[in-house]
Amino acid sequence: MQKQAVKKNERVEEVFQLFIKHIQEFLNEAKLNHEEYTNFVKWADRLGRAGELPLFADVFFETHVLRSMYTDKPGTQPSLLGPFFIEGSPLLEKQQGQPFVLTQRPDEPGETFYFSGKLSNTEGKPLANAHVEMWHNDQSAKYSGFDSDAPRYNLRGHFYTDENGDFEVKTIVPLPYPIPTDGPTGEFLEYLDQHPMRPAHLHLKFEAEGHETLITQVFFEGDEWLETDVADGVRGDLMTKLVDKGDYKEASLNFVMRPE
Ligand code: MBD
Ligand code: FE
């Protein structure tokens, strides 16, 4: 087979030149020696071989991408997509007047949790029939399809907002998440003396015609890891309160999308 000719990409060139410029400034300031450089290359090689590059990048870089893109914009603040989203989640069915039920095992361990949301845009218009993806971790604190032994799409699903932009999902309360500590990312955390925890969170992704896709997370007041989230994903707009209803917990949040 013939190798396909790849065209010059001006954006790649522009970004790479900027990157090199800042790498030079960084190296001058950090006074990196050659042994440190070699240690870094070996560590980065281990990171890639362990399949942890997405984890490391999402924990240490993604927050900065989001902050530089969105800090001054109206609408709900985005948060990290993270390394644990998978395409192809089940479409959740719904009986009239009942909440959606996030895909789960018949005996799914955890506290029953009803999460409701309202989706509108920055002009205050409710967004009906918008596509919503939701995923979160289980009572082993792990994500299906990755470190949990649950089925691939457990605690993952998608659904559509109703005619008023509202939705309600029955699931279980997510747990604070320790990122894996047994690989090169964990090794790095030890060098920093940084704990591996993320506060408990829901992941949500909203798509509505004519609007910017909103990828975000929801956090819970009182969680002990909010201030020191290893991935720095917490934003003021994304806090909700878990209300104890005896047999179950409930929480809600409004989400606001930006017209394109
Ligand atoms: C997570 O669960 C997560 O959401 C992010 C952003 C990084 C690591 C683990
Ligand atoms: Fe997560």
Side-chain angles (χ1 to χ4, degrees), residues 81 84 135 143 177 198 201 203 217:
L81 175 65
F84 301 130
W135 68 105
Y143 283 89
Y177 181 80
R198 297 216 61 217
H201 55 280
H203 286 271
Q217 302 188 4

Side-chain angles (χ1 to χ4, degrees), residues 107-253:
D107 51 352
E108 189 67 37
E111 284 184 273
T112 303
F113 175 35
Y114 292 89
F115 178 71
S116 58
K118 182 169 194 70
L119 185 65
S120 55
N121 70 13
T122 51
E123 276 128 46
K125 180 177 165 252
L127 297 174
N129 207 31
H131 181 126
V132 186
E133 287 278 346
M134 183 167 159
W135 68 105
H136 65 80
N137 67 358
D138 61 27
Q139 288 301 290
S140 66
K142 294 173 177 161
Y143 283 89
S144 64
F146 293 89
D147 41 7
S148 173
D149 16 294
R152 180 170 173 81
Y153 289 109
N154 200 55
L155 301 177
R156 299 173 183 276
H158 70 275
F159 53 87
Y160 295 86
T161 55
D162 72 11
E163 62 279 13
N164 303 312
D166 293 325
F167 62 90
E168 186 179 16
V169 184
K170 181 184 184 206
T171 181
I172 56 154
V173 179
L175 290 185
Y177 181 80
I179 66 168
T181 50
D182 54 352
T185 304
E187 186 189 329
F188 189 79
L189 291 175
E190 277 177 31
Y191 297 141
L192 302 183
D193 197 19
Q194 157 74 49
H195 70 68
M197 300 304 294
R198 297 216 61 217
H201 55 280
L202 302 173
H203 286 271
L204 290 152
K205 178 178 176 192
F206 297 95
E207 291 169 289
E209 207 164 303
H211 293 77
E212 255 178 55
T213 294
L214 172 63
I215 296 168
T216 196
Q217 302 188 4
V218 173
F219 301 91
F220 305 99
E221 283 174 21
D223 190 298
E224 74 172 293
W225 307 105
L226 290 171
E227 277 80 39
T228 59
D229 178 3
V230 64
D232 186 29
V234 181
R235 307 287 186 264
D237 289 4
L238 308 179
M239 298 302 309
T240 187
K241 199 183 165 96
L242 260 187
V243 181
D244 192 343
K245 295 287 196 174
D247 285 357
Y248 63 93
K249 300 262 163 81
E250 89 187 4
S252 63
L253 198 63

Side-chain angles (χ1 to χ4, degrees), residues 78-110:
S79 186
L80 315 166
L81 175 65
F84 301 130
F85 173 66
I86 37 186
E87 299 280 350
S89 78
L91 172 65
L92 305 183
E93 302 289 345
K94 161 175 162 126
Q95 317 246 302
Q96 194 63 37
Q98 298 287 331
F100 295 106
V101 179
L102 200 61
T103 317
Q104 55 192 271
R105 295 164 284 186
D107 51 352
E108 189 67 37

